[in-house]
Amino acid sequence: MSRSIHQFGPCRRPFPAGLILLLLLAPTASAKVFYLSPDGDDQATGTHPATPWQSLQHVEGRLGEGDSLVLAPGEYLQTATLRDLAGSTQRPVTIQAAMPGFSVLRGSLSLGPWRSIPNRPRCYDTAVGQTVYNLIHTSTGQTWRRATTEAELRATAGSWWQHPDDQTLLIHLPDGLLEAPSLEAVVIPGIGLSLIQARSVVLQGITFRGFGSEPGQPGLLIQGSQDIRARDCQWINCAGGVTWNQAVDSELRRARLQGIGREGDPATPGLLVGPGTTNLLVADCELRPGTGDALRLDAAAGSVTLENLQIRGGLRGLVLDPGKAHLTARRCVITQCASPLVLPPRSDAWRIQQSTLQWTSSIDPAVTRLIDDTNLLFGQPKQADPHFCDPAHDDYRLQADSPIRNCGDAGDTPGALPYRGDVLFLKPDGHDDNDGLSVATAIRTLAQACRLARPGVTVYLMPGEYPGPLKPLASGDLDLPLVFRAWGSGRAMVSVHDASPALDLDGLRYIHVEDLDFSAPMIGAVVRRAAAIRLDNCRMIDNDASALVLLDACDVMVRHCTLWNSRGPAVIVQGETRDIQITSSLLHSKQSAALGLDMSRPPLFAQYNAYFPAKNHPLALMAGASLWDREQLRGAGFGNAIAYITMESTRQRGGEHAGPVGAWTDLSDLHGNRLEDPR
């Protein structure tokens, strides 16, 4: 199952998107496109990116059949209830993020800086200025306990209390924490977005974060509606994800839910299919609930179909209340739940097929008898190791030597992911005469891996050091990218000792590089005349020139990366480069600006990054001009600079940084660099 649920085509310009969206979203000349921005004005026309509206509630009654609303990147600290939106199957009303994942409807605020309270060990405070309803640990989604008095706060680790006079927020650290972590406070009460009596509406690429002042309140409520299609959306740290009530003929595709639930309400599901909801399709989604269930069907619901879901963690996976509801699930992977399935022992109520289920709790024999042999159940004592490719990355494909292969009654392979031989393994002590199709038969060199790699293959580098460079010989495809990734939770390093880059992507397309370290004396990585390239959670440190050079490249995404301690700019962008995204990354230079561009307009979208230029140097150089602060970056045409920070502001935040899509777990520890970007 793909690690990322979002795919982007090559050379797509992310923003501004007005002309593109007019062509893509307006099927006839009568359809209109409206715009929303955190800096907009509801008194404006809303018909151009330069004159956007500000509040989502303002669009009620203003969108007609075939119309579209485009949300600029940024945080929208607001809720909305939209009634009677009416499109048609061929001409739906569309509410769409200009860039998937970066238009954030939010009910919470990131907190800080924190001040240690004198004579109160492990207690901190910060100014908020608004009523706080809940306190959430940003990276885990866990809810802290609310103390009723200051005395209770002092006595209770892992609690918070808000002063009634000045609204200062006080916290008492949980055991094991030495500094204030990255926290967010729920300050907007209620449900994020409610669609009431709507028909034929498409939601595309929107993030819902931090909603739910009360247990069970979802980020999105669909009530009494028909043909609602939510695609490429995500729900982060909400009390609930999506709730459907009396909703018919609807779908949820390519969604991600993470950190759903609230303390004291452990059964709150990420997805709740309520009474009267029928003919619902949920497909290609990733569900990582916090304290609650992943998906629950009410007894009075109708027919629900699940396809290609990946569920990890939480209390229970799929829960079907006894009643008239009917559940069909195909090709789902459910792991690390206390119980993957809670189903009535009736064969006419549900059907689970071709799924992979980790069952660590006792299994109800009545339910087990109804699970056919197309499914793979694992995790029981004394059961043979299935030899999955990499559970640490939620990769439950099978290695070539898996005992599960061809063990079905008809010689087929059970589970959600049939064996296709599309994974290669490298080990420092492997051998290039091996086939590389399992850990036991791993190959040794990157050169051999590049010779064997083809579109759709994932190349896993086991922990250790590999002589470089990593220089693939072939491209991937749009639906079958070529992936190079570190295996497990360890780190794998590609190193060179001459002037060549450790990562060299020249003239290639659809290459993903994830969780790898690159060591080179001069330049860590070069992306040259390439398109559709993804660098995710990679590290390039101590380069004499630059960590990353983009030259005549198109559609490159750099996220969660540590580009640290180079002499020149951490990132250099040159030539006819365009459509670049650099997000949630650390950019540090010890002798220059953090970012260097040789053009007068930025060909990139840069958001939620931490910039660390050398002393007395600007954050960025652009065609000789110096950009010293976030307002200058923004004025130069970058994305909404919500979370640009400097080394000093990082120290004030206690070594951590929280953006609207996540938090650095520890900026001071480069080996722990990870931002929980929902994309």
Side-chain angles (χ1 to χ4, degrees):
M1 189 168 291
S2 174
R3 192 175 178 206
S4 174
I5 62 174
H6 294 284
Q7 299 293 329
F8 301 85
C11 302
R12 182 178 300 170
R13 291 192 180 275
F15 191 80
L19 293 177
I20 293 175
L21 288 167
L22 279 170
L23 294 173
L24 295 179
L25 300 179
T28 71
S30 62
K32 301 175 183 177
V33 179
F34 299 95
Y35 297 88
L36 206 69
S37 171
D39 301 320
D41 185 346
D42 287 346
Q43 302 303 312
T45 64
T47 57
H48 190 275
T51 58
W53 295 325
Q54 191 272 333
S55 66
L56 187 56
Q57 188 63 54
H58 183 71
V59 309
E60 186 175 28
R62 291 176 168 84
L63 297 180
E65 182 179 348
D67 289 349
S68 301
L69 178 70
V70 181
L71 278 65
E75 288 183 318
Y76 298 79
L77 199 67
Q78 54 186 265
T79 63
T81 299
L82 304 181
R83 302 177 184 274
D84 302 317
L85 287 178
S88 63
T89 302
Q90 299 301 320
R91 303 180 68 228
V93 173
T94 300
I95 301 176
Q96 175 169 337
M99 295 184 63
F102 289 99
S103 298
V104 185
L105 299 183
R106 190 164 187 181
S108 61
L109 290 173
S110 297
L111 299 176
W114 293 99
R115 180 179 67 92
S116 178
I117 302 177
N119 303 319
R120 297 182 190 174
R122 303 170 59 79
C123 290
Y124 292 78
D125 68 9
T126 190
V128 178
Q130 299 185 57
T131 299
V132 175
Y133 298 93
N134 273 303
L135 191 67
I136 306 168
H137 193 290
T138 298
S139 58
T140 67
Q142 292 180 335
T143 306
W144 286 29
R145 177 179 176 180
R146 182 173 189 167
T148 57
T149 65
E150 188 173 3
E152 182 183 349
L153 171 87
R154 291 195 298 267
T156 308
S159 65
W160 64 277
W161 176 75
Q162 188 170 26
H163 198 286
D165 295 333
D166 59 8
Q167 295 187 312
T168 297
L169 188 74
L170 290 75
I171 61 171
H172 185 165
L173 297 184
D175 295 337
L177 284 182
L178 301 179
E179 292 184 331
S182 181
L183 298 170
E184 56 188 275
V186 177
V187 296
I188 303 294
I191 297 167
L193 173 62
S194 299
L195 298 180
I196 310 297
Q197 301 294 326
R199 184 178 73 252
S200 296
V201 176
V202 174
L203 301 177
Q204 184 85 33
I206 298 171
T207 296
F208 299 80
R209 186 179 188 105
F211 288 107
S213 53
E214 300 293 335
Q217 290 179 331
L220 173 64
L221 170 65
I222 300 172
Q223 176 79 43
S225 299
Q226 181 178 3
D227 186 24
I228 308 301
R229 294 166 258 169
R231 300 166 180 167
D232 302 304
C233 296
Q234 44 210 347
W235 287 262
I236 311 296
N237 295 347
C238 297
V242 187
T243 295
W244 294 268
N245 287 326
Q246 302 291 331
V248 299
D249 302 331
S250 296
E251 66 178 39
L252 178 69
R253 290 184 180 272
R254 299 182 302 277
R256 176 171 177 169
L257 287 82
Q258 178 175 308
I260 303 300
R262 291 288 183 262
E263 194 73 23
D265 186 37
T268 296
L271 303 177
L272 176 59
V273 184
T277 296
T278 191
N279 197 18
L280 172 66
L281 172 64
V282 181
D284 305 312
C285 297
E286 182 179 350
L287 312 180
R288 297 185 180 184
T291 60
D293 302 332
L295 183 148
R296 187 166 76 233
L297 274 71
D298 184 90
S303 173
V304 176
T305 300
L306 312 177
E307 295 181 352
N308 299 314
L309 301 192
Q310 189 166 67
I311 298 173
R312 186 181 75 178
L315 185 65
R316 300 175 294 183
L318 305 180
V319 181
L320 177 58
D321 294 337
K324 68 176 184 179
H326 187 273
L327 172 67
T328 300
R330 307 184 189 96
R331 297 182 299 278
C332 296
V333 177
I334 307 177
T335 62
Q336 301 181 36
C337 301
S339 181
L341 302 175
V342 179
L343 304 172
R346 292 174 27 234
S347 60
D348 63 337
W350 53 269
R351 191 175 185 184
I352 310 293
Q353 292 180 310
Q354 297 174 291
S355 293
T356 299
L357 312 172
Q358 182 180 17
W359 214 305
T360 56
S361 61
S362 60
I363 302 175
D364 183 349
V367 172
T368 305
R369 286 193 295 269
L370 299 176
I371 298 178
D372 64 37
D373 61 5
T374 67
N375 299 285
L376 169 58
L377 275 64
F378 73 99
Q380 290 295 293
K382 300 182 180 179
Q383 187 178 17
D385 183 354
H387 289 195
F388 294 121
C389 284
D390 190 6
H393 286 107
D394 294 323
D395 189 344
Y396 287 91
R397 290 176 290 181
L398 299 174
Q399 299 180 39
D401 59 358
S402 170
I404 305 301
R405 286 186 62 195
N406 307 320
C407 71
D409 293 340
D412 52 356
T413 300
L417 303 166
Y419 177 77
R420 293 192 174 94
D422 53 359
V423 178
L424 294 173
F425 295 88
L426 274 76
K427 288 197 302 184
D429 59 351
H431 199 287
D432 281 354
D433 289 337
N434 292 336
D435 59 19
L437 297 176
S438 69
V439 173
T441 61
I443 56 180
R444 185 177 64 86
T445 67
L446 288 168
Q448 178 68 354
C450 291
R451 282 191 289 268
L452 296 175
R454 64 185 189 279
V457 164
T458 298
V459 179
Y460 277 113
L461 281 67
M462 308 293 286
E465 185 171 350
Y466 297 84
L470 172 54
K471 190 173 183 178
L473 304 177
S475 296
D477 292 332
L478 173 61
D479 297 320
L480 296 171
L482 178 55
V483 180
F484 294 85
R485 179 188 297 161
W487 183 89
S489 58
R491 303 298 302 195
M493 176 180 287
V494 177
S495 60
V496 299
H497 301 285
D498 55 22
S500 62
L503 174 63
D504 191 347
L505 302 179
D506 189 351
L508 300 172
R509 297 164 66 88
Y510 301 108
I511 304 292
H512 296 189
V513 182
E514 303 171 358
D515 304 310
L516 294 177
D517 295 354
F518 295 94
S519 175
M522 295 301 295
I523 299 174
V526 173
V527 179
R528 180 190 306 109
R529 296 185 297 273
I533 306 298
R534 307 289 175 261
L535 305 181
D536 196 342
N537 197 36
C538 293
R539 299 189 302 189
M540 303 156 199
I541 300 174
D542 296 332
N543 304 109
D544 282 343
S546 293
L548 173 63
V549 175
L550 306 175
L551 176 61
D552 296 329
C554 171
D555 185 21
V556 179
M557 179 185 293
V558 180
R559 61 183 183 181
H560 306 162
C561 289
T562 300
L563 311 170
W564 195 262
N565 210 38
S566 58
R567 291 183 183 275
V571 178
I572 290 180
V573 184
Q574 296 178 325
E576 295 299 319
T577 296
R578 55 193 176 96
D579 300 345
I580 309 299
Q581 294 183 28
I582 303 177
T583 63
S584 310
S585 294
L586 299 173
L587 283 68
H588 169 262
S589 173
K590 59 185 176 183
Q591 293 185 3
S592 182
L595 178 64
L597 303 90
D598 70 354
M599 58 280 296
S600 59
R601 294 292 296 173
L604 58 81
F605 174 83
Q607 186 117 312
Y608 313 136
N609 297 309
Y611 290 82
F612 303 108
K615 186 176 181 180
N616 297 325
H617 284 265
L619 297 181
L621 293 171
M622 190 168 69
S626 297
L627 307 178
W628 292 91
D629 55 36
R630 72 188 239 179
E631 292 305 320
Q632 289 184 349
L633 285 169
R634 186 174 181 179
F638 288 78
N640 286 339
I642 294 173
Y644 291 108
I645 60 175
T646 63
M647 182 72 81
E648 184 59 32
S649 63
T650 302
R651 293 192 187 101
Q652 294 173 1
R653 294 290 295 268
E656 297 201 1
H657 166 59
V661 294
W664 297 107
T665 54
D666 189 352
L667 283 181
S668 64
D669 177 10
L670 297 181
H671 298 281
N673 169 20
R674 185 77 178 173
L675 182 68
E676 295 297 333
D677 186 330
R679 297 191 306 134

